[in-house]
Amino acid sequence: MVKFIKNNYHYFILFIFIFFVYSILLFPKNYGDPLNNYGFSYAITRGEFPYLDFNTISTPLYSFVMSIGLFIWNNYSMFLLEQTILVTIMFYLLNKLYGKKAYILLLGIFLLGGYGINATYNFFAFFLMIVLLFLEKKYSDKDYLIGVVIGLSILAKHTVGVLFIIPSLIYYFKNKNKLLKRFIGLLGVGILFIIYLLLTNSFMKFIDLCFLGLFDFSSKNGRLFNMWFFLTIMVFIISLIITIRNRKDISNYYLLMGISFVLPIFDLCHFSICFLCILIQLLPYIKKYENYFGNLSFILSIIICVGLYINYCDAYKPIFNKKIKHFEYIQNGNYNYLMTTKYFDFFDKYDNKLLISYAKMHYDISRNNNIDYFDVLMYGNYGYNGSSKMIKRIEKMKDTYIILDKRGYLDKSYDSQFDKGVAEYIINNYKKVDEKYDFLIYYKD
């Protein structure tokens, strides 16, 4: 036991550090995609079904996995605790593969603001990629298991996981027996998922949200030829060169597939994971002073996080949540927290309401409401020609107050995902009855 603790104490330190990072240091990032992913897991604990009751544009494995702890304690801190466990396991596997120099990835994560470990299904797909690298290196004969993990990767994020089939096809194209075993493992996972979709009557909605909706998502969100696009091209070229030069290592084929993390939208969040893939490909080239570089990277990561927190403190004046249920013990900016509590109290004044705002997920969770299609009202998040579908949902409502987020509607930045088409329909067709804070109130009889 003493020997085990001595050899693994740094994982305990890593666990404490990462949880501290999630709950305190990176609090400005906790209220975007991670909050939505928490909302999906929260909804599952309430008996709701993905695609049928609420909209998500990816396969739902991460939401189900992260809901496990929420059955014990349905709080955002539990969600972040589970995410911390995943990150710790990931670095345990990376250390088994590359030694302490794997902590260079930790430095890379925080150099890009921590987005690489954002608590989202994108990270979970990356986590499963690391599991595959470990299995291919240590247990390459476990073909059924590898097939199962590839299948789980598809259920984590289908647009990424499906590409994890390619390394096996390239590397073992002459070994039909290994390919068959892996295909059986993959097929078993796929069949179980299809059965689930059929039993919940959500198969067609899954197709609409996760495949057809991609046309809306990619055409309306962000810009194609931006800085992240050109950085991605550069990373892809470097990754391709490494893969060609080291084509006898199947790990490189998986990491080359990591380029898919940026699709279909090029931004810092998605690029961060793509960047981690190329860092892993570069690790074998570090053959001297490995422990030194690993320890240095860990220390620099802590220094960067302290610097980020000092900057955040100056900008946000953080305080802990006290009044917002399910979010106690999580920091928020002082102004944001005070305004959020005012907004939520204002929303409470209307009994029969529809909230059109980024704040809806946060509000519904805090009030123990069910999650629905309006909680993530962003372009491309509700299927093909989705804006029209959401307008039709509104048309069916009766005696409803519609609370419209004015700031979201007026936001003209290129990376805004707020569905202005739905907002404009409300403005043009319903009577405005009130306005307070940053919200316009309309009434539909």
Side-chain angles (χ1 to χ4, degrees):
M1 178 63 71
V2 174
K3 184 179 179 180
F4 176 82
I5 295 174
K6 183 178 179 180
N7 292 334
N8 296 280
Y9 71 93
H10 55 101
Y11 297 119
F12 178 75
I13 296 174
L14 176 67
F15 178 85
I16 298 298
F17 172 59
I18 294 298
F19 184 67
F20 185 70
V21 164
Y22 277 130
S23 58
I24 295 179
L25 297 185
L26 296 182
F27 66 89
K29 298 176 177 63
N30 280 336
Y31 295 93
D33 288 339
L35 172 59
N36 290 335
N37 279 266
Y38 168 52
F40 299 150
S41 296
Y42 157 90
I44 289 172
T45 65
R46 297 177 61 84
E48 295 186 70
F49 296 107
Y51 316 121
L52 191 66
D53 298 312
F54 62 90
N55 56 320
T56 175
I57 60 173
S58 185
T59 34
L61 181 60
Y62 181 66
S63 298
F64 278 101
V65 169
M66 299 297 278
S67 71
I68 295 173
L70 301 185
F71 282 101
I72 301 171
W73 182 39
N74 201 332
N75 189 281
Y76 200 17
S77 291
M78 173 60 79
F79 180 78
L80 296 180
L81 182 64
E82 292 175 294
Q83 177 70 10
T84 302
I85 292 172
L86 291 177
V87 174
T88 306
I89 293 173
M90 180 187 76
F91 274 100
Y92 173 82
L93 297 177
L94 286 169
N95 281 330
K96 290 297 181 182
L97 291 172
Y98 303 104
K100 279 194 175 181
K101 62 185 176 183
Y103 285 123
I104 293 174
L105 263 72
L106 192 67
L107 179 59
I109 287 167
F110 293 118
L111 283 174
L112 292 181
Y115 285 103
I117 55 172
N118 251 10
T120 69
Y121 50 73
N122 284 293
F123 168 80
F124 192 58
F126 177 72
F127 168 82
L128 290 174
M129 176 196 284
I130 303 304
V131 174
L132 284 169
L133 298 185
F134 179 79
L135 291 175
E136 294 283 13
K137 187 72 172 181
K138 305 292 186 179
Y139 304 96
S140 61
D141 59 324
K142 306 295 183 182
D143 295 302
Y144 291 115
L145 177 59
I146 291 173
V148 167
V149 177
I150 293 173
L152 294 177
S153 300
I154 297 173
L155 297 191
K157 186 176 183 182
H158 57 297
T159 54
V160 172
V162 71
L163 296 182
F164 292 167
I165 300 172
I166 295 176
S168 293
L169 295 176
I170 295 175
Y171 203 75
Y172 296 111
F173 72 97
K174 291 183 179 179
N175 193 332
K176 301 298 188 294
N177 185 49
K178 287 184 75 71
L179 287 177
L180 178 61
K181 290 179 180 178
R182 294 184 176 203
F183 178 73
I184 291 173
L186 165 64
L187 187 63
V189 174
I191 290 174
L192 288 175
F193 180 56
I194 291 174
I195 291 173
Y196 163 79
L197 292 174
L198 294 174
L199 289 176
T200 57
N201 196 30
S202 55
F203 182 80
M204 293 309 300
K205 289 195 174 184
F206 162 72
I207 297 297
D208 186 32
L209 287 166
C210 295
F211 292 96
L212 301 181
L214 290 175
F215 294 104
D216 281 18
F217 189 92
S218 59
S219 64
K220 295 180 179 179
N221 289 322
R223 281 188 249 173
L224 177 60
F225 299 108
N226 58 17
M227 177 180 69
W228 305 113
F229 173 81
F230 292 107
L231 285 175
T232 299
I233 295 299
M234 182 181 69
V235 166
F236 175 71
I237 292 172
I238 296 172
S239 179
L240 183 61
I241 292 172
I242 294 174
T243 302
I244 293 173
R245 292 183 62 181
N246 300 275
R247 52 186 174 273
K248 291 185 178 181
D249 186 352
I250 193 173
S251 297
N252 287 309
Y253 295 100
Y254 282 107
L255 295 165
L256 180 63
M257 297 302 109
I259 197 71
S260 60
F261 279 107
V262 300
L263 301 175
I265 181 171
F266 294 87
D267 60 14
L268 175 58
C269 294
H270 296 84
F271 174 79
S272 295
I273 301 182
C274 179
F275 179 70
L276 294 181
C277 292
I278 190 64
L279 280 185
I280 295 175
Q281 283 190 287
L282 293 172
L283 288 180
Y285 291 93
I286 302 174
K287 298 179 180 179
K288 291 184 178 181
Y289 310 111
E290 296 182 15
N291 288 346
Y292 170 78
F293 283 116
N295 291 331
L296 179 62
S297 296
F298 203 118
I299 293 171
L300 289 176
S301 297
I302 295 175
I303 294 173
I304 290 173
C305 285
V306 171
L308 286 173
Y309 188 59
I310 292 173
N311 180 61
Y312 292 155
C313 286
D314 182 60
Y316 297 100
K317 305 295 186 296
I319 61 174
F320 281 97
N321 283 321
K322 295 178 181 179
K323 297 180 180 179
I324 303 177
K325 293 181 179 178
H326 300 289
F327 294 91
E328 302 91 344
Y329 322 112
I330 301 297
Q331 281 201 335
N332 197 350
N334 182 59
Y335 177 79
N336 290 336
Y337 173 70
L338 293 176
M339 293 308 299
T340 297
T341 54
K342 288 183 178 180
Y343 292 161
F344 287 7
D345 289 341
F346 173 62
F347 300 158
D348 288 340
K349 294 180 180 180
Y350 296 92
D351 292 328
N352 194 18
K353 58 182 171 290
L354 170 63
L355 183 58
I356 305 294
S357 170
Y358 290 131
K360 180 169 166 53
M361 180 71 80
H362 197 185
Y363 175 75
D364 280 341
I365 294 172
S366 71
R367 297 308 191 256
N368 292 315
N369 297 332
N370 282 342
I371 305 302
D372 58 40
Y373 267 63
F374 288 96
D375 279 279
V376 187
L377 191 72
M378 297 186 290
Y379 286 125
N381 279 262
Y382 23 81
Y384 182 69
N385 199 17
S387 296
S388 297
K389 293 176 182 176
M390 300 310 291
I391 289 172
K392 289 180 180 178
R393 286 175 178 261
I394 294 174
E395 289 175 341
K396 294 178 181 179
M397 296 179 178
K398 302 291 185 182
D399 187 27
T400 302
Y401 288 95
I402 303 174
I403 304 174
L404 175 63
D405 190 325
K406 185 168 65 174
R407 283 193 301 176
Y409 172 64
L410 296 177
D411 184 2
K412 304 298 182 183
S413 60
Y414 80 91
D415 57 348
S416 172
Q417 295 179 261
F418 193 84
D419 194 325
K420 296 177 177 60
V422 172
E424 288 174 356
Y425 174 82
I426 294 168
I427 292 171
N428 294 330
N429 289 274
Y430 301 119
K431 181 182 178 182
K432 180 181 173 182
V433 295
D434 197 5
E435 178 175 353
K436 190 171 183 179
Y437 302 125
D438 295 308
F439 298 93
L440 306 174
I441 317 301
Y442 294 84
Y443 178 71
K444 183 183 183 306
D445 56 21

